[in-house]
Amino acid sequence: MLLKSPARRAVDWLALRATSLGDAVFPHLTLVFALVMIGILLGIIATLSADAMPAIRKFGLPFFGSSAWNPVREEFGALPALYGTLLSSTIGLVIAVPISIGTAIFLSELAPAWLRAPVSFLVEMLAAIPSVIIGLWGLFILVPFVRSPVESWLGDKLGFLPFFQGPPFGVGFLAAGIILAIMVIPIITALSRDALRAVPDSQREAMLALGATRWEAISRAVLPYCRSGLVGAVLLGLGRALGETMAVTMVIGNSYALTASLFGLGNTIASKIANEFNEASGEIFIGSLVELALILFAVTLLVNVLARLMVWRMTAVKAAKE
């Protein structure tokens, strides 16, 4: 048996001590990082609440139901911004969800191997485009197309409905919804594809063995199995749509009013804050804008929590099946 030299033993002892020190420090260091993230979240909530307190004390709950926005008289309300946020996000989801889930089904179930990777890459690249670039494209390319022929045709054919009344400006809720659809399609598609891939092959094989067609196997075995994952993907897309600012600000028209028409000009919470915060003065005006931000933060946080719960449920079901 060869004896180690004193120098070699010293090197081994130092390596062992460093390893032991790393094992002792690393868990506590990661705990600090986690606490820092929680602290940042709580700090944001505390800061927004403190800055919004003058408006909260003055207006209370009626702030949510008021349509006023008059900085001179210090009369403010959140209803048009809330309405615009929900309407534009709903339009975006109505357009994006079928396209996204259809694309995800194609990529995970039907696409040949040589086509799957390039299409997936292109879809993910769409998510990397800065929102201001999409907004510029929407302003110069999408808005003229929406004005004519889309809104003109809808007004001629369906003008008897309140949703399609008014002059075809091009800018407005419809253009904002289309922009949001473009921006959330990559998110919903990627998450839906992952949910579909998590379905065990035994689900598909069992349906096919019973004589089902490819469509029947997908619609009756695959989609029901990953339903919670698909709902989570849609909710995460909704969370992105609710908070989008620059692209929507450029095409929604920025009018603080309530209208049932998709052709109408409007505002969202994010666009209202972006448009007016630099010019805001006085604690009530600033507090009202910060209260809008606090409302948006709470809604987005709630949507993301629900989405994560859906995705975790899908993951837990998969682990239980395995």
Side-chain angles (χ1 to χ4, degrees):
M1 181 176 179
L2 297 175
L3 296 177
K4 295 182 179 180
S5 64
R8 181 61 180 176
R9 289 198 299 270
V11 170
D12 292 344
W13 179 80
L14 290 174
L16 179 61
R17 183 176 180 181
T19 302
S20 301
L21 181 63
D23 290 336
V25 170
F26 184 72
H28 298 88
L29 187 62
T30 54
L31 175 61
V32 170
F33 293 155
L35 293 176
V36 166
M37 297 304 298
I38 296 174
I40 291 173
L41 179 62
L42 296 177
I44 292 174
I45 296 174
T47 302
L48 291 177
S49 300
D51 291 341
M53 194 55 62
I56 294 174
R57 288 173 179 166
K58 181 174 181 178
F59 302 116
L61 289 178
F63 180 78
F64 293 87
S66 174
S67 300
W69 196 270
N70 191 332
V72 176
R73 297 183 178 181
E74 292 190 338
E75 297 175 352
F76 302 100
L79 185 58
L82 282 170
Y83 173 77
T85 301
L86 295 176
L87 179 59
S88 59
S89 299
T90 300
I91 296 171
L93 288 185
V94 168
I95 298 172
V97 169
I99 297 174
S100 301
I101 294 181
T103 304
I105 292 174
F106 174 76
L107 292 176
S108 62
E109 304 292 331
L110 303 173
W114 62 269
L115 185 61
R116 188 173 300 150
V119 174
S120 299
F121 175 76
L122 291 175
V123 170
E124 292 168 0
M125 279 295 295
L126 185 61
I129 300 176
S131 61
V132 67
I133 295 177
I134 296 179
L136 286 173
W137 174 85
L139 185 61
F140 293 111
I141 305 297
L142 179 65
V143 166
F145 175 76
V146 170
R147 182 188 306 121
S148 179
V150 176
E151 289 185 348
S152 299
W153 184 88
L154 290 172
D156 292 339
K157 302 299 181 182
L158 301 173
F160 58 91
L161 297 174
F163 304 111
F164 306 108
Q165 293 179 354
F169 292 116
V171 295
F173 289 116
L174 184 58
I178 295 173
I179 284 290
L180 288 176
I182 294 172
M183 300 188 72
V184 303
I185 279 174
I187 298 173
I188 301 176
T189 300
L191 294 172
S192 299
R193 182 190 58 195
D194 293 340
L196 290 166
R197 286 180 176 176
V199 178
D201 290 335
S202 58
Q203 295 290 114
R204 304 174 179 85
E205 294 168 357
M207 283 295 294
L208 295 173
L210 292 173
T213 63
R214 178 66 68 86
W215 164 244
E216 289 173 335
I218 294 172
S219 61
R220 298 184 183 181
V222 177
L223 293 180
Y225 187 93
C226 64
R227 185 184 298 114
S228 61
L230 297 178
V231 173
V234 173
L235 288 176
L236 284 174
L238 175 61
R240 169 68 188 276
L242 291 172
E244 180 51 44
T245 305
M246 288 308 302
V248 173
T249 303
M250 298 171 111
V251 299
I252 200 170
N254 301 308
S255 173
Y256 207 67
L258 294 172
T259 175
S261 176
L262 302 185
F263 303 166
L265 310 182
N267 242 314
T268 65
I269 293 177
S271 65
K272 189 65 176 175
I273 296 171
N275 282 326
E276 300 206 12
F277 202 84
N278 285 335
E279 302 175 358
S281 60
E283 63 177 12
I284 301 299
F285 192 178
I286 296 175
S288 298
L289 290 173
V290 176
E291 187 174 358
L292 286 178
L294 186 62
I295 294 170
L296 181 60
F297 180 83
V299 172
T300 305
L301 184 63
L302 177 62
V303 169
N304 279 275
V305 168
L306 291 175
R308 292 297 179 185
L309 290 175
M310 291 288 186
V311 174
W312 288 341
R313 180 184 174 187
M314 179 66 193
T315 305
V317 170
K318 179 187 174 185
K321 292 292 184 180
E322 293 177 349

